[in-house]
Amino acid sequence: LLSAGEPADSQSKARNTVSLRHALLAVLTAEPMTGYDLIRYFDGTVEFVWHAPHSQIYPELRRMEQAGLVDVQVVPRGERAEKRIYSITDAGMRELRTWLADISPYQQERDLSRLRAAHFEFSTYEAARNQLQAHLDHYSRALRNWERMVEDVEARRVPLMRERMRKRPEAEHEAIAAFRRFAFRGEVAKARAEAAWAEEGLALLDELEKKGVPLWGEPGGAETA
Amino acid sequence: LLSAGEPADSQSKARNTVSLRHALLAVLTAEPMTGYDLIRYFDGTVEFVWHAPHSQIYPELRRMEQAGLVDVQVVPRGERAEKRIYSITDAGMRELRTWLADISPYQQERDLSRLRAAHFEFSTYEAARNQLQAHLDHYSRALRNWERMVEDVEARRVPLMRERMRKRPEAEHEAIAAFRRFAFRGEVAKARAEAAWAEEGLALLDELEKKGVPLWGEPGGAETA
DNA sequence: GTAGTCATGTAAGAGGTTACATGATTAG
DNA sequence: CTAATCATGTAACCTCTTACATGACTAC
């Protein structure tokens, strides 16, 4: 049996669970910050490549601390409270670099929209249209977001990126901006492809309905066999 | 907990965990089969939209049986062994249709390739190239697969689809093929977009290297701050 | 005072991966 | 008789989601 997309690389153990860890390390390269700050950056810009809720981030930071990947500075907040400011260590930087060189196997597909679309014959024209319209809406919104982010990167309007640049020599600035822009452009391309796919699907539904092709779910269509 | 007496409140709470269940139901609409058969279909064609290992499929089939979504026929295999042939019930068909009409929230992004690409500045030109080359290889292979599958659907060369058609009136055949084709075309578009993205990245790396833009990970580049 | 933001956690459970485990049948 | 294929499970573990939970500080 031939399977779809086996990476099948002979070497490279590439044991790549725990990527939340690397996402956190990557953000911490910009500047030391609290878990709370990390969550904000995740929800702001990093979110689009790696989402994580705070219930995952706080415990992971503790584990990273124990593994020596980050240092903590405990700072009093007012009279009674405290906050924990994390910064990346040399070991953390090494871990990040190692991870950047690891080729990891591509994770298996699990695509709800596609799974549904492949079986629209059991549905109704109306329900199928709703699905595709939701798909189109979702990716249209996403597209606008990522396009604005590409512009923000080009105009150097991203605070965390500016901070990162401030700490590095001028010569490296171009690379820092270029790779961020490149990543966002990947999302732009994906969103565009998905939106176009949804539109193709909506056109297909119109065509089939006009031809009078019946679906199982329709009142007029055949019922359960 | 799913109970049969849920009064289908207002419109679609969209409680959409357990989609493995719906993927299995969808395959079972074609014909009754064993868990082993289901695994083969998953690994063959369904895999590209929904992957699942056998350790997930067997227990889920038992749960579906208990929920009344599938019927089982236990058939002796030789002298001592047995096999369990599952078929979808009316309740299973209803569940499938309900699910097809549910709009589920889009799951959060978690994209390793993009996460890495956004931080190539910490890597080396060589490592970054390897990443993108792997990306390109993966999606080029995927692209060829999905393109062939689109052709197979167009030529009605997919066994499970033929089986499905055999059981339905001629009028519905066009829809059955059209939706499968449409789903595969979505994967084609995605693979094409990802391959193009990787190529754009490889060109970017060439350009930056030619200009002499330094990266952190390079021997010539700055080391850890 | 009170609402909003800053700040940090725990816990239960679903879903998914990997490994362990077994044994029968069939084709050569 | 041996290998491949058919066939079905369990268990440990990890990740992620959702919900529960707390409280201090700050601006109005």
Side-chain angles (χ1 to χ4, degrees):
Chain A
L1 284 170
L2 40 125
S3 65
E6 286 271 277
D9 52 319
S10 43
Q11 61 229 87
S12 74
K13 273 268 152 62
R15 176 151 306 285
N16 248 310
T17 35
V18 209
S19 290
L20 169 60
R21 172 167 298 197
H22 302 105
L24 293 171
L25 286 174
V27 177
L28 284 174
T29 54
E31 54 180 341
M33 61 183 90
T34 65
Y36 191 83
D37 292 329
L38 278 161
I39 290 156
R40 283 194 310 175
Y41 284 121
F42 264 64
D43 287 353
T45 45
V46 186
E47 188 201 27
F48 85 108
V49 278
W50 208 272
H51 168 82
H54 76 277
S55 63
Q56 232 190 324
I57 290 176
Y58 287 119
E60 183 61 28
L61 283 168
R62 293 286 184 150
R63 282 190 290 267
M64 289 163 72
E65 186 193 337
Q66 283 205 298
L69 303 175
V70 292
D71 273 339
V72 193
Q73 198 195 347
V74 180
V75 171
R77 197 165 54 93
E79 299 273 290
R80 250 160 291 198
E82 283 182 341
K83 61 178 171 178
R84 305 170 63 79
I85 299 174
Y86 292 94
S87 49
I88 189 168
T89 62
D90 286 353
M93 278 305 299
R94 277 195 302 276
E95 173 63 29
L96 184 60
R97 290 222 181 81
T98 304
W99 172 77
L100 276 167
D102 271 354
I103 306 280
S104 21
Y106 280 75
Q107 76 263 41
Q108 305 285 8
E109 292 289 337
R110 227 160 250 125
D111 193 321
L112 266 186
S113 309
R114 225 80 86 189
L115 182 60
R116 281 210 181 85
H119 300 96
F120 276 166
E121 70 229 43
F122 299 113
S123 191
T124 64
Y125 282 108
E126 198 202 341
R129 266 193 198 97
N130 288 342
Q131 291 294 342
L132 292 177
Q133 191 59 54
H135 200 78
L136 182 54
D137 290 348
H138 175 76
Y139 283 104
S140 299
R141 217 174 314 115
L143 180 58
R144 283 193 296 277
N145 280 333
W146 311 151
E147 277 176 337
R148 212 200 47 233
M149 286 193 192
V150 168
E151 284 165 30
D152 286 352
V153 168
E154 285 169 351
R156 308 289 198 267
R157 243 181 279 124
V158 184
L160 209 59
M161 192 181 74
R162 291 173 69 91
E163 184 56 32
R164 200 168 257 139
M165 286 176 170
R166 215 185 47 71
K167 295 166 70 182
R168 306 299 309 165
E170 185 92 31
E172 290 175 20
H173 291 195
E174 189 175 350
I176 293 170
F179 293 135
R180 296 227 121 202
R181 177 176 179 276
F182 170 57
F184 283 113
R185 278 174 63 82
E187 291 301 304
V188 165
K190 183 167 141 191
R192 236 193 272 278
E194 291 300 334
W197 179 72
E199 276 170 346
E200 183 187 328
L202 287 168
L204 173 63
L205 289 171
D206 286 348
E207 191 200 315
L208 291 174
E209 197 175 26
K210 199 169 291 173
K211 277 203 220 171
V213 176
L215 305 187
W216 280 36
E218 296 290 352
E223 251 309 295
T224 31
Chain B
L1 289 171
L2 43 118
S3 67
E6 283 279 284
D9 51 319
S10 51
Q11 81 231 52
S12 65
K13 270 269 156 64
R15 176 154 305 284
N16 248 311
T17 33
V18 209
S19 290
L20 168 60
R21 171 165 300 196
H22 302 104
L24 293 170
L25 286 174
V27 178
L28 284 174
T29 54
E31 55 179 343
M33 61 182 89
T34 65
Y36 192 83
D37 292 329
L38 278 161
I39 290 156
R40 282 193 311 174
Y41 285 120
F42 264 65
D43 287 353
T45 45
V46 185
E47 187 204 28
F48 86 106
V49 279
W50 208 271
H51 168 82
H54 76 275
S55 63
Q56 233 190 323
I57 289 176
Y58 288 118
E60 182 61 27
L61 284 169
R62 292 287 184 150
R63 282 190 290 266
M64 288 161 73
E65 187 193 337
Q66 284 205 299
L69 304 175
V70 292
D71 273 339
V72 194
Q73 199 195 347
V74 179
V75 171
R77 198 164 53 95
E79 300 272 292
R80 250 160 292 198
E82 282 181 342
K83 60 177 171 179
R84 305 170 63 78
I85 300 174
Y86 292 93
S87 50
I88 189 167
T89 61
D90 286 353
M93 277 305 298
R94 277 196 300 276
E95 173 63 29
L96 183 60
R97 290 222 182 80
T98 304
W99 171 76
L100 276 167
D102 271 356
I103 305 282
S104 21
Y106 281 75
Q107 75 262 46
Q108 305 286 8
E109 294 289 338
R110 228 162 248 124
D111 192 323
L112 267 185
S113 308
R114 226 79 86 188
L115 183 60
R116 281 209 181 86
H119 300 96
F120 276 166
E121 69 230 42
F122 299 112
S123 192
T124 64
Y125 281 108
E126 199 203 342
R129 264 192 200 97
N130 288 342
Q131 291 294 342
L132 292 177
Q133 191 59 53
H135 199 78
L136 181 55
D137 291 348
H138 174 75
Y139 283 104
S140 299
R141 218 174 312 118
L143 180 58
R144 284 192 298 276
N145 280 333
W146 312 151
E147 277 175 338
R148 212 200 47 234
M149 287 193 189
V150 168
E151 285 164 29
D152 286 351
V153 168
E154 285 168 351
R156 308 289 197 266
R157 240 180 284 125
V158 184
L160 209 59
M161 191 180 74
R162 290 173 71 91
E163 184 55 32
R164 199 168 259 140
M165 285 175 172
R166 214 183 47 71
K167 297 167 67 182
R168 305 300 309 166
E170 183 94 32
E172 290 175 20
H173 291 194
E174 188 175 349
I176 293 171
F179 294 136
R180 295 227 123 202
R181 177 176 179 274
F182 170 56
F184 283 112
R185 277 175 61 83
E187 292 301 305
V188 166
K190 184 167 140 190
R192 235 192 272 277
E194 290 300 333
W197 179 71
E199 276 170 346
E200 183 187 326
L202 288 167
L204 173 63
L205 288 171
D206 286 348
E207 191 199 315
L208 291 174
E209 197 175 28
K210 199 169 292 174
K211 276 204 220 171
V213 175
L215 305 187
W216 279 37
E218 296 290 352
E223 252 308 296
T224 31

